[in-house]
Amino acid sequence: MHVSTADAGSPSDNTVPLRTDTVRVDLGARGYDIIVGVGLLDQIDRLITPVLERKRVAVITDSNVGPLYRTTVEAALSRSSITFETFVLPAGEATKTFGQIERLTEALLAEKAERGMTLLALGGGVIGDITGFVAAILLRGVPFIQIPTTLLAQVDSSVGGKTGVNSAHGKNLIGSFYQPRLVVADMAVLEQLPVRELRAGYAETLKYGLIDDPEFFTWLEAHGTDLLAGDRDARRHAVVHCCQAKARIVAEDEREAGRRALLNLGHTFAHAIEAEAGYGGRVLHGEAVALGMVLAFRLSARLGHCDRGDGDRLERHLIDTGLPARAGDVDINWSPAALIEHMSRDKKVQDGRVTFVLARGIGQAFTTNDVPDDALKAVLAEFADGPQ
Ligand SMILES: NC(=O)c1ccc[n+]([C@@H]2O[C@H](COP(=O)([O-])OP(=O)(O)OC[C@H]3O[C@@H](n4cnc5c(N)ncnc54)[C@H](O)[C@@H]3O)[C@@H](O)[C@H]2O)c1
Ligand SMILES: [Zn+2]
């Protein structure tokens, strides 16, 4: 993995040269670049052309992102004589179902999908996860490119090749590992993103600091509110930094046999919270992750792994940045029994034991499945009864 900063040069259509940062995900023959910059959608044709097998793509987007950016992308594709069809899915987590996978796959086949065509995922994590999964199974695999449009997707979900959908039995239980050919993160699109979505992505940004990068956490404490308020330099720094971290972790452990599992910090709790909320937008994934990270630090403190003060510091920063930090911040039933029941269906259960990511402090996460039930129950009950 390396980063290079480059002037992307003057394209033939006289658009302004772009300053881009490129992060490489080193996965040998399956390695790829993450290109980060501002104004990239306008030149998407030029950026994707080097990795296209054929000059034919299908743009997959959602009903919020399509109206905003579809025309820009389609105009760029036309300019370079790349043929395309565009498919618009309903926006939101409720779209991440097996039914939508079938619908999209059949729609692509109806348009005579062929080997060597490339799917472009233009949207947030939902579109990225669905498109990647369809790319993995369509005609036994066609290439795909991630064009993430949320902060969450730019710092996390578009990189690393985890694709899939939710099941009635829980979050992300159906899917595959399937790497994109390229990731193009245009930070200009964050300007249109509702602030609640921006904050949800910020929770995953914070996660990198909490896992193994205490300096980044401290940097976010100083610059997080500016980043959320629109500071472009802060956004660029954070997106590039997170992509570097994710690329490094994925290159080390593509299939989550070890270190990659640390990226699940807060997620065992988060997936249970999301399941309890239903997938209708009552609690966003990133919001559930914020609460899940608080719970992970509380559990760590209860088990004697870290000081209570570390979790308090995290909670203070979540409150400062407008993210949920207390049970009363989201409208779900906090029954410990119900949440533990959801956790027992988690992908990370082995021999009936749930795997947790805990911490010895900020920037010192580790995985364990040695969590006594009574400690888990006590932490959930105390959280539910705590200050609202
Ligand atoms: N594959 C992975 O490694 C991975 C990692 C983390 C999260 N995820 C998944 O990602 C999903 C969450 O992703 P998300 O938060 O991006 O959700 P999302 O895709 O639902 O996007 C959030 C909302 O913002 C809208 N939107 C997107 N871009 C916009 C823009 N530029 N301007 C205005 N509106 C815009 C969308 O239409 C949607 O309503 C979850 O399903 C989660 O499980 C996957
Ligand atoms: Zn996540």
Side-chain angles (χ1 to χ4, degrees):
M1 196 271 318
H2 70 273
V3 188
S4 56
T5 299
D7 177 333
S10 284
S12 53
D13 58 352
N14 293 330
T15 36
V16 190
L18 296 171
R19 202 195 128 216
T20 55
D21 293 288
T22 301
V23 178
R24 179 82 188 162
V25 184
D26 278 333
L27 284 171
R30 283 174 295 105
Y32 52 95
D33 285 341
I34 308 163
I35 304 175
V36 182
V38 176
L40 305 185
L41 289 189
D42 259 344
Q43 301 188 33
I44 198 72
D45 53 323
R46 207 167 49 80
L47 297 170
I48 66 174
T49 294
V51 303
L52 293 185
E53 284 175 20
R54 308 189 51 232
K55 286 184 96 173
R56 179 174 174 200
V57 302
V59 180
I60 320 297
T61 189
D62 76 24
S63 51
N64 291 335
V65 179
L68 293 171
Y69 302 116
R70 174 182 174 171
T71 328
T72 308
V73 169
E74 290 178 348
L77 296 172
S78 301
R79 211 157 49 221
S80 288
S81 311
I82 298 168
T83 56
F84 61 86
E85 291 105 25
T86 301
F87 299 81
V88 183
L89 277 53
E93 185 72 27
T95 288
K96 257 180 70 168
T97 63
F98 218 29
Q100 290 289 351
I101 294 294
E102 182 178 4
R103 215 162 296 152
L104 178 57
T105 308
E106 293 291 355
L108 282 156
L109 291 168
E111 293 296 329
K112 303 199 169 39
E114 49 192 347
R115 287 236 167 102
M117 75 182 286
T118 297
L119 307 190
L120 305 188
L122 175 67
V126 166
I127 288 299
D129 283 10
I130 291 181
T131 304
F133 188 45
V134 169
I137 60 174
L138 181 67
L139 304 171
R140 298 213 173 87
V142 298
F144 87 112
I145 291 173
Q146 292 272 17
I147 310 175
T149 63
T150 61
L151 180 61
L152 184 142
Q154 295 189 351
V155 298
D156 192 356
S157 65
S158 65
V159 178
K162 277 195 186 177
T163 75
V165 291
N166 304 323
S167 138
H169 296 288
K171 181 87 182 158
N172 295 339
L173 293 182
I174 302 159
S176 72
F177 283 99
Y178 193 66
Q179 298 294 343
R181 292 283 168 99
L182 177 70
V183 180
V184 180
D186 183 349
M187 286 183 307
V189 303
L190 301 181
E191 316 271 334
Q192 303 281 340
L193 192 65
V195 67
R196 185 176 168 208
E197 297 291 350
L198 202 59
R199 288 192 184 117
Y202 185 75
E204 300 270 22
T205 308
L206 269 182
K207 188 181 74 177
Y208 291 98
L210 295 171
I211 291 171
D212 64 358
D213 194 348
E215 290 83 18
F216 186 52
F217 187 83
T218 305
W219 185 89
L220 288 167
E221 283 179 317
H223 300 282
T225 37
D226 293 344
L227 184 161
L228 289 167
D231 182 324
R232 284 192 165 196
D233 288 337
R235 283 183 185 179
R236 177 189 285 268
H237 175 78
V239 171
V240 173
H241 193 85
C242 293
C243 286
Q244 287 175 273
K246 179 103 189 229
R248 200 182 309 123
I249 294 172
V250 168
E252 254 175 62
D253 176 23
E254 183 182 8
R255 294 212 156 218
E256 201 168 297
R259 197 173 158 63
R260 185 166 180 179
L262 296 178
L263 290 169
N264 298 323
L265 175 66
H267 280 61
T268 302
F269 290 107
H271 290 166
I273 293 167
E274 287 181 272
E276 191 55 38
Y279 300 112
R282 198 142 49 108
V283 183
L284 301 178
H285 175 71
E287 293 171 341
V289 169
L291 290 162
M293 295 190 301
V294 169
L295 285 159
F297 270 83
R298 290 205 177 188
L299 183 56
S300 303
R302 175 169 285 263
L303 296 173
H305 297 301
C306 74
D307 288 342
R308 180 76 197 222
D310 293 320
D312 293 345
R313 189 174 153 198
L314 167 62
E315 285 176 45
R316 264 197 310 278
H317 186 56
L318 292 174
I319 292 166
D320 285 351
T321 48
L323 273 158
R326 307 261 158 84
D329 292 339
V330 297
D331 178 22
I332 62 159
N333 172 10
W334 279 98
S335 142
L339 292 169
I340 290 170
E341 167 62 21
H342 291 305
M343 288 181 207
S344 71
R345 297 170 185 269
D346 200 273
K347 281 195 294 314
K348 297 173 286 291
V349 172
Q350 255 181 357
D351 300 329
R353 299 195 71 98
V354 182
T355 304
F356 285 89
V357 183
L358 299 183
R360 298 196 173 85
I362 285 173
Q364 297 175 64
F366 65 98
T367 55
T368 178
N369 50 22
D370 186 17
V371 171
D373 282 353
D374 55 348
L376 179 59
K377 273 193 204 119
V379 162
L380 287 167
E382 184 197 77
F383 191 66
D385 293 343
Q388 302 293 305

